[in-house]
Amino acid sequence: MIENIKNAIIRFKRSPAFTGFALFGFALILNIIIRGPAVFFSAQSMGTLFSKNAPIILVTMAQAVLLITGTLDISIGIQLALVNVVVIMLPQELGVSIPVAWLIGILVSLAISAVGGFLVAVLRIPSLLATFALTFVVMGINVLIMNVPQGSVPKAYYSTYDSLLFGFLPVAALMILGVALIWAVVKRTKFGKHIYAVGADPKKAFAAGINPTGTIMKAFLFKGFITGIAGIALTLMIASGNPLQVESYGLKSLAACIIGGLGFGGWGSMASGVYGVGFLVLIQNAVYYFFNFLQGTIVGFQITSYWQNFISDLIIMLGLLMTTVTARGQREALKQGISRQIKRGDKHAKES
Amino acid sequence: MQKSLKKDHVTVIKIQSFIKTNPAGMTFVIAILLLVLTFILRPNSLNTNTFSSIILLTMLLSFAAAGQTLVLIGGGLDFTVGAVMSSAAVMTTFMMQGQDGKLLPVLGVVLLIGLVVGVINGISTVKIGLPAMIVTMAISNLVARAQYLFAADGKSLGYAGPSFIRSVSYKFGGIVPSIIFYAILIWGIMFYLLKRSVFGKQLYLVGDNKEAAKLSGIKVNKIIILSYIFSGLLSAFAGMLGAAYMTVVSAQVFDRYAFQSLIAVIVGGTALSGGVGTYTGSIAGAFLMVVLSNGLTALALPDPIKNISYGVIMILLLFAYNRTSAVRE
């Protein structure tokens, strides 16, 4: 029995998610110290934490799937805004009922992800550059659909999103749980295995009879599905529409995945991404309450939100540096993956 | 029928080999074609103002692309270019307050910013071993945040000195902006670095094959860190000149230059994998990027359409220049 537990701990320590878990644990303890366990774990505080951060957590989960497949999508943030704009404008302008609008929102997200997948998998443009260019296109589409921030969501919808099920379970957390369950099922299918194989080495995967183009395409579609749900969560969170928002989620989700211990391709799990984004979210939370605490106790202590942002970014940077100290395996996978990302991308390189 | 097909095929191969062997020339040709197209579609945009602003913006982007070229040839990637430029611009206006006498201290501080960021970039990528893409993105985030500590609410803090402004945007004969003097300086430095110096030769070798370079006695880490430092210094200087061009500067004003410079350099034929590339190509790439955005502005398209066309054209350029090899190869 004890032996089993010991083995399980050792296995967990060697697993890709461990780095992220260690950092996540650190951030969690920091939060508990600053706010006190009773306040921090109260249903209300947990509810706020989840409802304010569900979109970025879901987006990071989507990004994690792509990273495991050995690719990435930097335009994922602006795609959230696209879903948001569609979901707001359809009921407002065309009188579509809200559930139908949500469905169409997810379909739109699938479509734009299919475009991204086409650029990366079929046209074989390096994913970073392709999806950066795609950002401009999506931005344009967003503004075409909705020129200025506007719109609203019926109160029944967003108060449900903010509410707690059975008095303790945040509805926003349920959305995250749902996506995690879907991934747990998908991971065990053939497609899930192919993702890891293609991420590790597309050439070997091809030699083994897997179609890398199709697998990357499917991974993008799966990402599009999660992004669609994240877009709906975002709409419920802000209860309005804004065509040019959360563009930074692209970079943030990428950083969260790396902090959580994901490499590029074939290495890591979605849990890594969740721990990474948990670290990000909790650090921001801790910095915010810490400065509040200082302002409350020291008379005349004033600090701008710019300092808060700067310090939380600094801690995130340190977290990024920490991962390389703790996870050598990840570092190697990451370096190889990135150089593959980039080095695959050259005509001229072959001639030299 | 058969014959004409063959002929077409030969032309295609010729064009392909021209693109492959002379990316800089090809980029330049595309840029000129785009410019001509713009003038045909909008004849009234054919005036001296258009030319001088194209020259000025091309020079500015080519300065930002200079450091990026060095880092890319060395096999790295520098996303801090935009953030460093913005910080340098914010710092310039903050310190100068319209006084030309402060030029030298400003230059000192601005170059120091570039140096510090360059050193951090270099050490984090080489010594700690994080991938350049991720580290420089995170550092660029930090540098961008740091600007708000000076320029809170994104407000402008002051102005560059009047003579300094004139030294950048005075127009000789109404067309040629005086920034060309800085261009001669920076292009000269780049030419020396890449073509004449030992550093340049070693940089190409390091970018091409790190192991081989190490075995032949090159201090690989030193060369890579140096390339990041040069990039930091060059983008800081570019930001300072940018402050003179923009006159009113707010935080994050040049952040877009990070990706723009990267794409300009790639379109100009520098390989993302390192070891291949010329600065002439980067200048041509910068020219193409500027002509492209000038064309979209001249057509007076609504903003969203402009964004969409910009994105689509970039995708086409990347498709033509930077495809990955097929998995079957």
Short mmCIF file of all heavy atoms in Angstrom, two decimals, chain A residues 127-181:
data_model
loop_
_atom_site.label_atom_id
_atom_site.label_comp_id
_atom_site.label_asym_id
_atom_site.label_seq_id
_atom_site.Cartn_x
_atom_site.Cartn_y
_atom_site.Cartn_z
N SER A 127 3.48 27.78 -38.11
CA SER A 127 2.24 28.13 -37.44
C SER A 127 2.28 29.51 -36.80
O SER A 127 1.30 30.25 -36.85
CB SER A 127 1.91 27.07 -36.40
OG SER A 127 3.03 26.81 -35.60
N LEU A 128 3.41 29.88 -36.23
CA LEU A 128 3.50 31.18 -35.56
C LEU A 128 3.20 32.31 -36.54
O LEU A 128 2.41 33.22 -36.27
CB LEU A 128 4.90 31.35 -34.95
CG LEU A 128 5.17 32.69 -34.31
CD1 LEU A 128 4.43 32.81 -33.00
CD2 LEU A 128 6.64 32.92 -34.11
N LEU A 129 3.85 32.26 -37.70
CA LEU A 129 3.70 33.33 -38.68
C LEU A 129 2.32 33.30 -39.33
O LEU A 129 1.68 34.33 -39.51
CB LEU A 129 4.79 33.23 -39.74
CG LEU A 129 6.20 33.26 -39.19
CD1 LEU A 129 7.22 32.97 -40.28
CD2 LEU A 129 6.51 34.61 -38.57
N ALA A 130 1.87 32.08 -39.67
CA ALA A 130 0.57 31.96 -40.34
C ALA A 130 -0.54 32.51 -39.45
O ALA A 130 -1.38 33.29 -39.89
CB ALA A 130 0.30 30.50 -40.68
N THR A 131 -0.53 32.11 -38.18
CA THR A 131 -1.63 32.53 -37.31
C THR A 131 -1.49 34.00 -36.93
O THR A 131 -2.48 34.65 -36.61
CB THR A 131 -1.72 31.65 -36.05
OG1 THR A 131 -0.46 31.66 -35.41
CG2 THR A 131 -2.12 30.25 -36.40
N PHE A 132 -0.27 34.53 -36.97
CA PHE A 132 -0.13 35.97 -36.73
C PHE A 132 -0.80 36.74 -37.86
O PHE A 132 -1.54 37.70 -37.64
CB PHE A 132 1.33 36.38 -36.63
CG PHE A 132 1.51 37.87 -36.62
CD1 PHE A 132 1.03 38.62 -35.57
CD2 PHE A 132 2.12 38.52 -37.68
CE1 PHE A 132 1.15 40.00 -35.57
CE2 PHE A 132 2.24 39.88 -37.69
CZ PHE A 132 1.76 40.63 -36.63
N ALA A 133 -0.55 36.29 -39.10
CA ALA A 133 -1.19 36.96 -40.24
C ALA A 133 -2.71 36.81 -40.15
O ALA A 133 -3.47 37.73 -40.45
CB ALA A 133 -0.67 36.37 -41.54
N LEU A 134 -3.13 35.63 -39.67
CA LEU A 134 -4.57 35.37 -39.53
C LEU A 134 -5.21 36.34 -38.53
O LEU A 134 -6.39 36.70 -38.67
CB LEU A 134 -4.78 33.92 -39.08
CG LEU A 134 -6.20 33.37 -39.16
CD1 LEU A 134 -6.70 33.40 -40.59
CD2 LEU A 134 -6.26 31.96 -38.61
N THR A 135 -4.43 36.78 -37.54
CA THR A 135 -4.95 37.72 -36.54
C THR A 135 -5.56 38.95 -37.22
O THR A 135 -6.64 39.41 -36.84
CB THR A 135 -3.82 38.17 -35.60
OG1 THR A 135 -3.18 37.03 -35.09
CG2 THR A 135 -4.35 38.99 -34.45
N PHE A 136 -4.86 39.47 -38.23
CA PHE A 136 -5.35 40.67 -38.92
C PHE A 136 -6.67 40.39 -39.62
O PHE A 136 -7.58 41.21 -39.61
CB PHE A 136 -4.31 41.16 -39.93
CG PHE A 136 -3.12 41.78 -39.29
CD1 PHE A 136 -1.99 41.04 -39.06
CD2 PHE A 136 -3.14 43.11 -38.91
CE1 PHE A 136 -0.89 41.61 -38.45
CE2 PHE A 136 -2.05 43.68 -38.29
CZ PHE A 136 -0.92 42.92 -38.06
N VAL A 137 -6.74 39.21 -40.25
CA VAL A 137 -7.95 38.86 -40.98
C VAL A 137 -9.14 38.78 -40.01
O VAL A 137 -10.19 39.38 -40.26
CB VAL A 137 -7.77 37.51 -41.71
CG1 VAL A 137 -9.04 37.11 -42.42
CG2 VAL A 137 -6.61 37.60 -42.69
N VAL A 138 -8.93 38.07 -38.89
CA VAL A 138 -10.03 37.91 -37.93
C VAL A 138 -10.43 39.27 -37.36
O VAL A 138 -11.61 39.58 -37.19
CB VAL A 138 -9.62 36.95 -36.80
CG1 VAL A 138 -10.73 36.81 -35.78
CG2 VAL A 138 -9.26 35.59 -37.37
N MET A 139 -9.41 40.10 -37.08
CA MET A 139 -9.68 41.43 -36.57
C MET A 139 -10.60 42.20 -37.52
O MET A 139 -11.59 42.83 -37.11
CB MET A 139 -8.35 42.17 -36.45
CG MET A 139 -8.21 43.07 -35.26
SD MET A 139 -6.63 43.90 -35.42
CE MET A 139 -5.62 42.94 -34.36
N GLY A 140 -10.27 42.12 -38.81
CA GLY A 140 -11.09 42.80 -39.81
C GLY A 140 -12.51 42.27 -39.83
O GLY A 140 -13.47 43.04 -39.84
N ILE A 141 -12.64 40.93 -39.79
CA ILE A 141 -13.97 40.32 -39.82
C ILE A 141 -14.78 40.79 -38.60
O ILE A 141 -15.95 41.16 -38.72
CB ILE A 141 -13.85 38.78 -39.83
CG1 ILE A 141 -13.19 38.32 -41.12
CG2 ILE A 141 -15.22 38.14 -39.69
CD1 ILE A 141 -12.88 36.84 -41.16
N ASN A 142 -14.13 40.79 -37.44
CA ASN A 142 -14.82 41.22 -36.22
C ASN A 142 -15.43 42.61 -36.37
O ASN A 142 -16.58 42.84 -36.03
CB ASN A 142 -13.85 41.25 -35.04
CG ASN A 142 -13.46 39.88 -34.58
OD1 ASN A 142 -13.91 38.89 -35.14
ND2 ASN A 142 -12.63 39.80 -33.57
N VAL A 143 -14.59 43.53 -36.88
CA VAL A 143 -15.06 44.91 -36.99
C VAL A 143 -16.14 45.03 -38.07
O VAL A 143 -17.06 45.85 -37.96
CB VAL A 143 -13.88 45.86 -37.25
CG1 VAL A 143 -14.37 47.29 -37.40
CG2 VAL A 143 -12.89 45.78 -36.11
N LEU A 144 -16.06 44.20 -39.11
CA LEU A 144 -17.11 44.20 -40.13
C LEU A 144 -18.45 43.80 -39.50
O LEU A 144 -19.49 44.35 -39.84
CB LEU A 144 -16.77 43.21 -41.24
CG LEU A 144 -15.88 43.69 -42.38
CD1 LEU A 144 -15.78 42.60 -43.43
CD2 LEU A 144 -16.42 44.97 -42.99
N ILE A 145 -18.41 42.81 -38.60
CA ILE A 145 -19.65 42.34 -37.99
C ILE A 145 -20.15 43.35 -36.96
O ILE A 145 -21.34 43.65 -36.90
CB ILE A 145 -19.43 40.96 -37.33
CG1 ILE A 145 -19.02 39.93 -38.39
CG2 ILE A 145 -20.70 40.50 -36.63
CD1 ILE A 145 -18.64 38.60 -37.83
N MET A 146 -19.24 43.88 -36.16
CA MET A 146 -19.63 44.83 -35.11
C MET A 146 -18.60 45.95 -35.09
O MET A 146 -17.43 45.71 -34.78
CB MET A 146 -19.67 44.12 -33.76
CG MET A 146 -20.01 45.03 -32.59
SD MET A 146 -19.67 44.25 -31.00
CE MET A 146 -21.09 43.21 -30.80
N ASN A 147 -19.02 47.18 -35.46
CA ASN A 147 -18.00 48.22 -35.60
C ASN A 147 -17.55 48.82 -34.27
O ASN A 147 -16.39 49.19 -34.12
CB ASN A 147 -18.46 49.31 -36.57
CG ASN A 147 -19.83 49.82 -36.23
OD1 ASN A 147 -20.46 49.31 -35.30
ND2 ASN A 147 -20.30 50.81 -36.94
N VAL A 148 -18.47 48.96 -33.31
CA VAL A 148 -18.06 49.48 -32.01
C VAL A 148 -18.62 48.56 -30.91
O VAL A 148 -19.61 47.87 -31.13
CB VAL A 148 -18.58 50.91 -31.75
CG1 VAL A 148 -17.79 51.92 -32.53
CG2 VAL A 148 -20.06 51.00 -32.09
N PRO A 149 -17.97 48.56 -29.73
CA PRO A 149 -18.47 47.74 -28.63
C PRO A 149 -19.93 48.07 -28.33
O PRO A 149 -20.30 49.24 -28.27
CB PRO A 149 -17.58 48.13 -27.45
CG PRO A 149 -16.32 48.58 -28.08
CD PRO A 149 -16.72 49.23 -29.37
N GLN A 150 -20.76 47.07 -28.20
CA GLN A 150 -22.19 47.28 -27.95
C GLN A 150 -22.83 45.97 -27.54
O GLN A 150 -22.16 44.96 -27.42
CB GLN A 150 -22.86 47.78 -29.23
CG GLN A 150 -22.66 46.82 -30.39
CD GLN A 150 -23.29 47.32 -31.67
OE1 GLN A 150 -24.49 47.33 -31.78
NE2 GLN A 150 -22.47 47.74 -32.61
N GLY A 151 -24.16 46.02 -27.35
CA GLY A 151 -24.93 44.80 -27.14
C GLY A 151 -25.04 44.40 -25.69
O GLY A 151 -24.37 44.94 -24.81
N SER A 152 -25.92 43.43 -25.47
CA SER A 152 -26.11 42.96 -24.10
C SER A 152 -26.57 41.52 -24.12
O SER A 152 -26.93 40.97 -25.16
CB SER A 152 -27.15 43.83 -23.40
OG SER A 152 -28.38 43.67 -24.07
N VAL A 153 -26.53 40.90 -22.96
CA VAL A 153 -26.97 39.52 -22.79
C VAL A 153 -28.10 39.56 -21.76
O VAL A 153 -28.01 40.30 -20.78
CB VAL A 153 -25.79 38.67 -22.26
CG1 VAL A 153 -26.26 37.26 -21.94
CG2 VAL A 153 -24.67 38.64 -23.28
N PRO A 154 -29.19 38.80 -21.98
CA PRO A 154 -30.27 38.78 -20.98
C PRO A 154 -29.73 38.38 -19.61
O PRO A 154 -28.85 37.52 -19.51
CB PRO A 154 -31.22 37.72 -21.52
CG PRO A 154 -30.95 37.66 -22.98
CD PRO A 154 -29.52 38.02 -23.17
N LYS A 155 -30.30 39.02 -18.59
CA LYS A 155 -29.76 38.83 -17.24
C LYS A 155 -29.80 37.37 -16.79
O LYS A 155 -28.87 36.89 -16.13
CB LYS A 155 -30.55 39.70 -16.25
CG LYS A 155 -29.96 39.71 -14.85
CD LYS A 155 -30.49 40.87 -14.04
CE LYS A 155 -29.79 41.00 -12.71
NZ LYS A 155 -30.11 39.97 -11.75
N ALA A 156 -30.86 36.67 -17.21
CA ALA A 156 -31.01 35.27 -16.79
C ALA A 156 -29.77 34.47 -17.17
O ALA A 156 -29.32 33.60 -16.41
CB ALA A 156 -32.24 34.68 -17.45
N TYR A 157 -29.20 34.76 -18.35
CA TYR A 157 -28.06 33.99 -18.82
C TYR A 157 -26.81 34.28 -18.01
O TYR A 157 -26.13 33.38 -17.52
CB TYR A 157 -27.81 34.25 -20.30
CG TYR A 157 -28.78 33.55 -21.19
CD1 TYR A 157 -29.94 34.18 -21.62
CD2 TYR A 157 -28.55 32.24 -21.59
CE1 TYR A 157 -30.84 33.53 -22.43
CE2 TYR A 157 -29.44 31.57 -22.41
CZ TYR A 157 -30.59 32.22 -22.82
OH TYR A 157 -31.48 31.57 -23.62
N TYR A 158 -26.49 35.59 -17.90
CA TYR A 158 -25.21 35.85 -17.24
C TYR A 158 -25.27 35.65 -15.73
O TYR A 158 -24.26 35.37 -15.10
CB TYR A 158 -24.61 37.20 -17.63
CG TYR A 158 -25.29 38.45 -17.11
CD1 TYR A 158 -25.09 38.89 -15.81
CD2 TYR A 158 -26.07 39.23 -17.97
CE1 TYR A 158 -25.69 40.06 -15.37
CE2 TYR A 158 -26.67 40.40 -17.52
CZ TYR A 158 -26.48 40.80 -16.21
OH TYR A 158 -27.07 41.93 -15.77
N SER A 159 -26.49 35.77 -15.14
CA SER A 159 -26.52 35.50 -13.70
C SER A 159 -26.40 34.00 -13.44
O SER A 159 -25.87 33.59 -12.41
CB SER A 159 -27.77 36.09 -13.06
OG SER A 159 -28.91 35.56 -13.68
N THR A 160 -26.86 33.19 -14.41
CA THR A 160 -26.65 31.74 -14.28
C THR A 160 -25.15 31.44 -14.32
O THR A 160 -24.63 30.65 -13.54
CB THR A 160 -27.34 30.98 -15.43
OG1 THR A 160 -28.67 31.43 -15.52
CG2 THR A 160 -27.29 29.49 -15.21
N TYR A 161 -24.47 32.11 -15.27
CA TYR A 161 -23.03 31.89 -15.42
C TYR A 161 -22.30 32.26 -14.14
O TYR A 161 -21.36 31.56 -13.73
CB TYR A 161 -22.52 32.73 -16.59
CG TYR A 161 -21.03 32.74 -16.76
CD1 TYR A 161 -20.36 31.66 -17.33
CD2 TYR A 161 -20.28 33.84 -16.36
CE1 TYR A 161 -19.00 31.67 -17.49
CE2 TYR A 161 -18.92 33.86 -16.51
CZ TYR A 161 -18.28 32.78 -17.07
OH TYR A 161 -16.93 32.80 -17.23
N ASP A 162 -22.72 33.36 -13.49
CA ASP A 162 -22.03 33.81 -12.29
C ASP A 162 -22.44 33.02 -11.04
O ASP A 162 -21.81 33.15 -10.00
CB ASP A 162 -22.33 35.30 -12.05
CG ASP A 162 -21.56 36.17 -13.03
OD1 ASP A 162 -20.47 35.75 -13.43
OD2 ASP A 162 -22.06 37.25 -13.40
N SER A 163 -23.50 32.21 -11.18
CA SER A 163 -24.06 31.62 -9.95
C SER A 163 -23.30 30.37 -9.52
O SER A 163 -22.42 29.87 -10.22
CB SER A 163 -25.52 31.27 -10.19
OG SER A 163 -25.56 30.21 -11.11
N LEU A 164 -23.66 29.88 -8.34
CA LEU A 164 -23.05 28.67 -7.80
C LEU A 164 -24.09 27.57 -7.77
O LEU A 164 -25.18 27.75 -7.24
CB LEU A 164 -22.56 28.92 -6.38
CG LEU A 164 -21.56 30.07 -6.21
CD1 LEU A 164 -21.45 30.45 -4.75
CD2 LEU A 164 -20.20 29.68 -6.75
N LEU A 165 -23.75 26.42 -8.34
CA LEU A 165 -24.66 25.29 -8.33
C LEU A 165 -24.61 24.64 -6.95
O LEU A 165 -23.52 24.43 -6.40
CB LEU A 165 -24.24 24.31 -9.43
CG LEU A 165 -25.34 23.50 -10.08
CD1 LEU A 165 -26.35 24.42 -10.76
CD2 LEU A 165 -24.75 22.53 -11.10
N PHE A 166 -25.76 24.30 -6.38
CA PHE A 166 -25.85 23.73 -5.03
C PHE A 166 -25.17 24.62 -4.00
O PHE A 166 -24.72 24.15 -2.95
CB PHE A 166 -25.21 22.33 -4.96
CG PHE A 166 -25.64 21.43 -6.06
CD1 PHE A 166 -24.72 20.84 -6.90
CD2 PHE A 166 -27.00 21.17 -6.27
CE1 PHE A 166 -25.11 20.01 -7.94
CE2 PHE A 166 -27.40 20.34 -7.30
CZ PHE A 166 -26.45 19.76 -8.14
N GLY A 167 -25.00 25.89 -4.31
CA GLY A 167 -24.41 26.80 -3.33
C GLY A 167 -22.90 26.77 -3.24
O GLY A 167 -22.30 27.56 -2.55
N PHE A 168 -22.24 25.85 -3.96
CA PHE A 168 -20.77 25.85 -3.85
C PHE A 168 -20.07 25.60 -5.18
O PHE A 168 -18.89 25.88 -5.30
CB PHE A 168 -20.31 24.82 -2.80
CG PHE A 168 -20.54 23.41 -3.22
CD1 PHE A 168 -19.53 22.69 -3.86
CD2 PHE A 168 -21.76 22.79 -2.96
CE1 PHE A 168 -19.74 21.38 -4.26
CE2 PHE A 168 -21.97 21.48 -3.35
CZ PHE A 168 -20.97 20.78 -4.00
N LEU A 169 -20.76 25.07 -6.17
CA LEU A 169 -20.07 24.69 -7.41
C LEU A 169 -20.28 25.77 -8.47
O LEU A 169 -21.38 25.93 -8.98
CB LEU A 169 -20.64 23.35 -7.89
CG LEU A 169 -19.76 22.54 -8.83
CD1 LEU A 169 -18.42 22.24 -8.20
CD2 LEU A 169 -20.47 21.26 -9.23
N PRO A 170 -19.23 26.55 -8.81
CA PRO A 170 -19.40 27.61 -9.80
C PRO A 170 -19.76 27.03 -11.16
O PRO A 170 -19.17 26.04 -11.60
CB PRO A 170 -18.03 28.28 -9.86
CG PRO A 170 -17.31 27.83 -8.64
CD PRO A 170 -17.87 26.50 -8.28
N VAL A 171 -20.73 27.65 -11.84
CA VAL A 171 -21.15 27.17 -13.16
C VAL A 171 -19.99 27.27 -14.15
O VAL A 171 -19.79 26.39 -15.00
CB VAL A 171 -22.36 27.98 -13.65
CG1 VAL A 171 -22.72 27.61 -15.08
CG2 VAL A 171 -23.56 27.75 -12.75
N ALA A 172 -19.20 28.33 -14.01
CA ALA A 172 -18.05 28.51 -14.90
C ALA A 172 -17.08 27.34 -14.77
O ALA A 172 -16.51 26.86 -15.76
CB ALA A 172 -17.34 29.82 -14.59
N ALA A 173 -16.92 26.84 -13.52
CA ALA A 173 -16.02 25.71 -13.31
C ALA A 173 -16.56 24.47 -14.00
O ALA A 173 -15.79 23.63 -14.48
CB ALA A 173 -15.84 25.46 -11.82
N LEU A 174 -17.90 24.37 -14.06
CA LEU A 174 -18.50 23.21 -14.73
C LEU A 174 -18.15 23.17 -16.21
O LEU A 174 -17.93 22.12 -16.79
CB LEU A 174 -20.02 23.24 -14.56
CG LEU A 174 -20.55 22.72 -13.24
CD1 LEU A 174 -22.07 22.76 -13.24
CD2 LEU A 174 -20.06 21.30 -13.00
N MET A 175 -18.12 24.37 -16.83
CA MET A 175 -17.76 24.43 -18.24
C MET A 175 -16.35 23.87 -18.45
O MET A 175 -16.09 23.11 -19.39
CB MET A 175 -17.82 25.88 -18.75
CG MET A 175 -19.21 26.46 -18.74
SD MET A 175 -19.20 28.20 -19.18
CE MET A 175 -19.41 28.11 -20.94
N ILE A 176 -15.44 24.28 -17.56
CA ILE A 176 -14.06 23.80 -17.65
C ILE A 176 -14.01 22.30 -17.46
O ILE A 176 -13.35 21.57 -18.21
CB ILE A 176 -13.20 24.52 -16.60
CG1 ILE A 176 -13.16 26.02 -16.90
CG2 ILE A 176 -11.79 23.95 -16.55
CD1 ILE A 176 -12.63 26.85 -15.78
N LEU A 177 -14.78 21.83 -16.45
CA LEU A 177 -14.82 20.40 -16.16
C LEU A 177 -15.35 19.62 -17.37
O LEU A 177 -14.82 18.57 -17.73
CB LEU A 177 -15.73 20.17 -14.95
CG LEU A 177 -15.41 18.95 -14.11
CD1 LEU A 177 -14.04 19.10 -13.48
CD2 LEU A 177 -16.48 18.75 -13.04
N GLY A 178 -16.38 20.18 -18.01
CA GLY A 178 -16.96 19.53 -19.18
C GLY A 178 -15.93 19.35 -20.28
O GLY A 178 -15.79 18.25 -20.83
N VAL A 179 -15.19 20.43 -20.57
CA VAL A 179 -14.18 20.34 -21.63
C VAL A 179 -13.10 19.34 -21.24
O VAL A 179 -12.64 18.55 -22.08
CB VAL A 179 -13.57 21.74 -21.90
CG1 VAL A 179 -12.36 21.63 -22.81
CG2 VAL A 179 -14.62 22.64 -22.53
N ALA A 180 -12.71 19.34 -19.96
CA ALA A 180 -11.68 18.41 -19.51
C ALA A 180 -12.15 16.96 -19.71
O ALA A 180 -11.38 16.10 -20.12
CB ALA A 180 -11.35 18.66 -18.04
N LEU A 181 -13.45 16.72 -19.42
CA LEU A 181 -13.99 15.36 -19.60
C LEU A 181 -13.97 14.97 -21.08
O LEU A 181 -13.59 13.85 -21.42
CB LEU A 181 -15.41 15.29 -19.05
CG LEU A 181 -15.51 15.17 -17.52
CD1 LEU A 181 -16.95 15.15 -17.07
CD2 LEU A 181 -14.79 13.89 -17.06
#
